[in-house]
């Protein structure tokens, strides 16, 4: 049984689907982020976090500050920042010892969710107590279950496999 999914009709008569929080929601203080770790929990939901989050390779509670990476004696740092390429931003983040939070983290969780929906509540990385270690190892233990979907299963395996790649750049 699927719960926490709302299907509604928009004004233009098209259907839309909204997926809710799966009962994990909590009220946050004004200055809190749902991605920031607290004393009692790690950032993100266990078993649904990207490997780089589990390893602590991304800073979830800090936005990458482009301005702190470059300075300008002329005072027009905005023109330099406009010229900074994505590769330069990544290099600056690497020099600081962390990678910046990217959409790749969300794509990983979405890949887990797609699998979960297609396989009626099964997780691509296995049982609850094995998930985090399987994620870090890059072992998608249940991917072969998609074979029961035939040709669509092959397409799902291809897409979900890319979304669950251990390499964030490959997602």
């Amino acid at each position: 049984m699927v719960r926490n999914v709302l299907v509604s009709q928009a004004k233009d008569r098209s259907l839309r689907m909204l997926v809710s929080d799966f009962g994990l929601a909590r009220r946050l203080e004004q200055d809190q982020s749902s991605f920031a770790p607290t004393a009692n929990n790690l950032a993100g939901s266990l078993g649904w976090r990207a490997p780089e989050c589990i390893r602590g390779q991304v800073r979830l509670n800090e936005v990458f500050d482009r301005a702190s990476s470059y300075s300008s004696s002329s005072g027009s740092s905005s023109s330099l920042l406009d010229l900074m390429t994505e590769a330069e931003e990544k290099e600056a983040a690497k020099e600081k010892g962390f990678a910046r939070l990217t959409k790749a983290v969300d794509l990983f969780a979405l890949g887990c969710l797609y699998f979960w929906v297609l396989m009626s509540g099964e997780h691509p990385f296995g049982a609850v107590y094995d998930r985090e270690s399987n994620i870090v190892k890059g072992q998608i233990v249940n991917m072969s279950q998609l074979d029961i979907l035939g040709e669509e299963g092959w397409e799902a395996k291809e897409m979900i496999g890319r979304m669950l790649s251990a390499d964030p750049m490959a997602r």
Side-chain angles (χ1 to χ4, degrees):
M1 173 170 75
V2 177
R3 295 183 291 172
N4 300 331
V5 176
L6 170 68
V7 178
S8 66
Q9 195 168 34
K11 290 179 183 178
D12 66 357
R13 314 282 287 156
S14 64
L15 294 179
R16 63 184 185 160
M17 182 173 74
L18 304 171
V19 181
S20 76
D21 60 42
F22 300 98
L24 300 174
R26 63 183 182 268
R27 183 175 297 274
L28 298 174
E29 297 299 324
Q30 189 170 2
D31 60 343
Q32 274 186 307
S33 166
S34 60
F35 289 108
T38 65
N40 296 327
N41 73 345
L42 301 169
S45 299
L46 292 177
W48 299 85
R49 300 179 299 156
E52 61 270 24
C53 295
I54 297 170
R55 290 186 196 110
Q57 295 171 325
V58 293
R59 297 289 295 268
L60 299 176
N61 59 349
E62 184 175 325
V63 176
F64 182 68
D65 181 12
R66 294 174 65 172
S68 68
S69 298
Y70 289 89
S71 62
S72 171
S73 59
S74 67
S76 62
S77 62
S78 62
S79 61
L80 287 174
L81 292 175
D82 292 338
L83 297 174
M84 187 161 70
T85 66
E86 187 174 332
E88 290 169 328
E89 282 185 28
K90 289 177 184 175
E91 186 60 33
K94 188 185 265 186
E95 288 173 13
K96 288 184 173 185
F98 63 90
R100 68 183 187 149
L101 183 63
T102 67
K103 295 176 193 172
V105 171
D106 295 328
L107 285 172
F108 183 88
L110 190 58
C112 290
L113 180 63
Y114 281 171
F115 186 94
W116 184 84
V117 168
L118 289 172
M119 294 290 99
S120 302
E122 293 293 323
H123 195 282
F125 291 96
V128 174
Y129 49 85
D130 291 329
R131 287 180 191 162
E132 295 267 311
S133 75
N134 285 339
I135 289 170
V136 170
K137 294 175 193 171
Q139 294 178 342
I140 309 170
V141 297
N142 288 332
M143 191 64 90
S144 63
Q145 291 182 10
L146 291 170
D147 291 339
I148 65 168
L149 300 176
E151 185 176 329
E152 288 79 12
W154 181 86
E155 292 173 352
K157 281 170 79 170
E158 180 71 19
M159 182 183 75
I160 292 171
R162 289 181 184 198
M163 294 173 84
L164 299 180
S165 172
D167 178 9
M169 297 298 292
R171 291 185 212 135

